[in-house]
Amino acid sequence: MALHFESCIFSSKPQIVAAKAQLSGYSNPAKWNIAQEERSSAEVYKTGNLRRNLREKVEVVKNELWKSVDESSFKGLQMIDVMQRLNIDYYFQDEIEALIGKQYANCSSVGSGYGNHIHQIALRFRLFRQHGYFASQEVFEKFTDKERKFRPELSENIKGMVDIYEASQLAVAGEDILAEAEKFSGKVLKGKVDCIDSHGDKFVKRTLEHPFHKSLPLFTARKFLGDFHDKNLWLSSFQEIAKMDFSLLQCSYHREIGQISKWWSGLGLANELVYARNQPLKWYIWSLACFADPTLSEERIELTKPISLIYIIDDIFDVYGTLDELTLFTEAVCRWDITAIEQLPDYMKTCFRVLYNLTNEISSKVYKKHGWNPIHSLQNAWKSLCKAFLVEAKWFGSGKLPSAEEYLENGTVSSGVHIVMVHAFFLLGEGLTDENVEIIDRIPDIISSPATILRLWDDLGNAQDENQKGNDGSYVNCLMMEKAEYTREVARERVMSKICDAWKRLNQECLFHKQFHPTFTKASLNLARMVPLMYSYDDEQSLPGLEEQVKSLLYDNFL
């Protein structure tokens, strides 16, 4: 059901230590731990120096390189694009916002100021939309014929096709030119990917598989510089900043993982629920994706905790509980009364106590830090999740599948995304008003869109998740039952189409609806970006792409 994964290195703390030991050249985990402690104390001074050097380099870029950029020049936008792709743009937020704002003001009329070349127009369009400015799809009309089809001769411009494809990812519903742009550029790039040199081949393949708007720079930054043959002063400076920043981030990640492992081990749930997933590192990666900003360390740690319980409660419903037990557990959560657990089996009692105490603990922390008690919102979110799990348990226990849309409506709740995002909203503490809290409780599009994306990716059924021996549903199966003429291939195509529609709704929220703070909006966007990595199983029921990315993130050098 919710947020699944596979791999030994994403399991218990001893396995994490063993994986670290292997990658570090230590065969004995205990020896590795001792060595790690010794290095940690010895590197405090070195880390301090690195932090100072990073601050100095950032100031040099701001005071020398950045001030030399003409506010109306295309070069400034190219620099912003590189900053974002290298995942260092948070050091230059004020400068970036100022330049984007001024350039947008210069392009107030359709097509005016966007430039004459595909690359210029597409990059301006994409950056404007990424920063919340509406750029009309009409700027691409000059490249279309009377039927609004892109002119065939454009297909010879591979770089232009890449830029058009990247821009089309920010489309919202009803934008026919952008839909045609994605279709045309995607077809051209797929057709030519084997006809260009190996360097260009890799670049095009990465763009098709992981367009920037739908990817996490956290994972893609280290491959980005390989796309540049030529070096220049500002690119070299950005590379230096990226390397220093990456080294500091790795230190933070290791520290945070250690705190989460200690918390998780202390709960003892892994010992009591021996068949449940035991993957604190994986759960942390979800929170890291949502809160990628390096200043949000505390928030990452806290968000990992409810994410872990989504998995555990999901396993209780999928693997452990009988229908009668699951009904009692759901009733206990809905009553939210610690005395209600007496009639539950022991393993459910332990889980409910952890859920009850954690929710009170997080509520207390939010109140102390932000002056708002979120207890009722958090309780209601957990109640909704357990109700959705119970609905699915009854469906699959009876063998009677619901309609596809009934399944999907319930599945967006059982995905667990609402739990993640409601906790994220209160942990961030921005925009805490009665109106916003009421909207959050109703699961608005900023939450339901990534939830739909997650649910449908999960249901594509590339492989069975680990340890999931119980019944599990699938939108694909519901659709095939409902539409007898649908083959599995057709049903999967319908799923991909619905994922595309959900992305357009999410783009709409990011572009036009400014109800919530940008950090929260980005957390929702990042969660959606993380989904393909978390669900691209291979035939061995594992996730080699994610495993490779996480190993690289935690243990490799930047370049």
Side-chain angles (χ1 to χ4, degrees), residues 124-195:
R124 280 196 169 91
F125 175 91
R126 179 164 63 83
L127 288 179
F128 288 163
R129 286 207 170 187
Q130 282 177 194
H131 288 265
Y133 295 99
F134 177 72
S136 173
Q137 65 169 346
E138 308 297 328
V139 299
F140 295 110
E141 269 199 326
K142 64 174 65 180
F143 303 112
T144 64
D145 58 24
K146 293 180 180 179
E147 297 178 349
R148 282 195 160 188
K149 301 291 185 181
F150 280 80
R151 299 196 300 270
E153 62 267 24
L154 294 169
S155 63
E156 299 305 314
N157 185 343
I158 298 298
K159 182 69 172 70
M161 290 298 95
V162 168
D163 295 327
I164 286 283
Y165 187 79
E166 291 277 24
S168 70
Q169 304 304 309
L170 287 102
V172 300
E175 293 190 312
D176 296 338
I177 295 178
L178 289 179
E180 179 63 25
E182 181 178 25
K183 180 180 177 182
F184 176 75
S185 59
K187 183 178 180 180
V188 169
L189 293 174
K190 288 173 185 175
K192 295 205 172 189
V193 71
D194 295 325
C195 303

Side-chain angles (χ1 to χ4, degrees), residues 304-438:
T304 304
K305 297 174 182 179
I307 289 174
S308 71
L309 290 189
I310 295 172
Y311 279 91
I312 296 304
I313 294 174
D314 182 30
D315 286 340
I316 285 176
F317 276 81
D318 277 356
V319 181
Y320 278 87
T322 65
L323 190 56
D324 287 341
E325 290 173 342
L326 299 177
T327 301
L328 290 174
F329 184 82
T330 302
E331 290 173 352
V333 171
C334 288
R335 287 173 60 186
W336 205 262
D337 182 357
I338 197 67
T339 63
I341 68 172
E342 292 308 317
Q343 55 189 325
L344 298 178
D346 288 341
Y347 73 94
M348 284 186 171
K349 289 179 182 178
T350 303
C351 183
F352 184 85
R353 285 194 192 96
V354 171
L355 173 63
Y356 185 89
N357 292 334
L358 176 64
T359 303
N360 288 335
E361 176 188 319
I362 290 178
S363 297
S364 178
K365 289 180 178 178
V366 171
Y367 180 73
K368 288 178 181 177
K369 188 170 184 178
H370 303 298
W372 190 288
N373 189 348
I375 186 67
H376 295 301
S377 293
L378 301 187
Q379 288 174 2
N380 289 335
W382 285 113
K383 293 173 186 178
S384 296
L385 180 71
C386 290
K387 287 179 181 178
F389 281 166
L390 184 60
V391 166
E392 290 180 346
K394 290 178 178 178
W395 280 341
F396 309 132
S398 68
K400 297 179 181 179
L401 293 179
S403 71
E405 291 312 306
E406 282 180 314
Y407 169 82
L408 185 57
E409 182 179 358
N410 189 77
T412 56
V413 180
S414 69
S415 70
V417 170
H418 184 223
I419 294 288
V420 176
M421 294 311 300
V422 74
H423 280 83
F425 174 71
F426 287 110
L427 287 169
L428 289 170
E430 302 283 357
L432 289 175
T433 65
D434 289 330
E435 180 185 6
N436 280 352
V437 170
E438 184 180 345

